Amino acid sequence: MRFNKLFLYASFLFLISCNGAIVYKEFDLQAETEAWIVQEDDFSFQMVDENGIVNNWNLTEEDNYYSESSGTFLFIPTDKTMREVHYQKFRSAILGDFSFSADAGFSEVNPWISFNMPHLYFEFDAVTHKPNRLYLSPNSGESFTWADYEEVDQPFDFKVVTDLEIKGDTYPEEVAVFELIDQMGILESKSIVKFAFSKDIGLIYLELKSGLKYYRI
């Protein structure tokens, strides 16, 4: 016991003496991650459903910033990490808010892309294209999180493809295609269960649980 106290005390003094030499790391967005960001001024777009009703989406928020996180030992800061994030939020009078983030992550090998929309948050690795996280939060207040896609009964399907064709239009850039299999029956008919997001263009397709489909125009 006495040894442990002495060790902790010595460690404490050492960290105090080294407090000015905190390990500092900064991770910037790489080209592969930045490619998913739609670069347009006053960005807005339209989608039309199968009944011919046009839905307007307007960019309401956009920010580029560095998110900070710190490590400590015995309450003394030991390291600080800054990672670059680019955030865009769009608003639709019909479907609500949709937001997109490109995040540099905590190393050059694990940046991620995330999508946040009513009842659904999804995140994937921008380099390997593997799913990172799926989070559902329906109006009932229940929430479900799958930390590892491989360990569950595949509640969703995800892939990144090129030359995707949707209703006669071909998208040559990489397109992230997500589809939720609502096995638990927890989502409402207006919940988004499928979407496609293309580099250089953004959101190009949406499908609700009711079966109603929206296409980019």
Side-chain angles (χ1 to χ4, degrees), residues 53-199:
I53 299 176
V54 175
N55 182 21
N56 295 307
W57 293 82
N58 296 303
L59 181 66
T60 58
E61 295 180 38
E62 182 166 25
D63 197 9
N64 188 267
Y65 61 94
Y66 281 84
S67 179
E68 178 181 325
S69 60
S70 301
T72 61
F73 180 71
L74 296 178
F75 306 105
I76 303 298
T78 58
D79 61 86
K80 181 179 292 186
T81 300
M82 303 287 288
R83 67 182 203 275
E84 187 179 8
V85 180
H86 194 108
Y87 172 80
Q88 294 176 323
K89 182 178 181 179
F90 301 88
R91 176 155 295 171
S92 160
I94 298 176
L95 296 174
D97 293 340
F98 163 82
S99 61
F100 160 88
S101 292
D103 196 309
F106 294 99
S107 74
E108 290 84 355
V109 296
N110 72 338
W112 65 81
I113 302 296
S114 62
F115 306 97
N116 196 357
M117 54 191 70
H119 301 177
L120 172 66
Y121 173 89
F122 177 71
E123 178 185 292
F124 74 95
D125 190 299
V127 175
T128 65
H129 297 163
K130 291 182 179 180
N132 281 347
R133 188 156 60 111
L134 167 65
Y135 177 76
L136 303 180
S137 181
N139 286 339
S140 64
E142 296 179 272
S143 62
F144 300 85
T145 301
W146 286 273
D148 190 344
Y149 169 64
E150 302 292 338
E151 293 182 1
V152 297
D153 191 19
Q154 297 190 352
F156 63 92
D157 182 60
F158 175 73
K159 55 191 173 185
V160 175
V161 299
T162 55
D163 296 321
L164 178 67
E165 184 175 331
I166 299 179
K167 208 173 181 179
D169 294 324
T170 301
Y171 297 90
E173 298 290 341
E174 287 188 325
V175 180
V177 182
F178 171 90
E179 181 174 10
L180 177 68
I181 295 90
D182 186 20
Q183 299 170 341
M184 302 177 194
I186 61 174
L187 298 181
E188 300 179 352
S189 60
K190 63 181 180 181
S191 299
I192 296 169
V193 294
K194 187 173 183 178
F195 68 85
F197 188 96
S198 173
K199 286 181 177 179

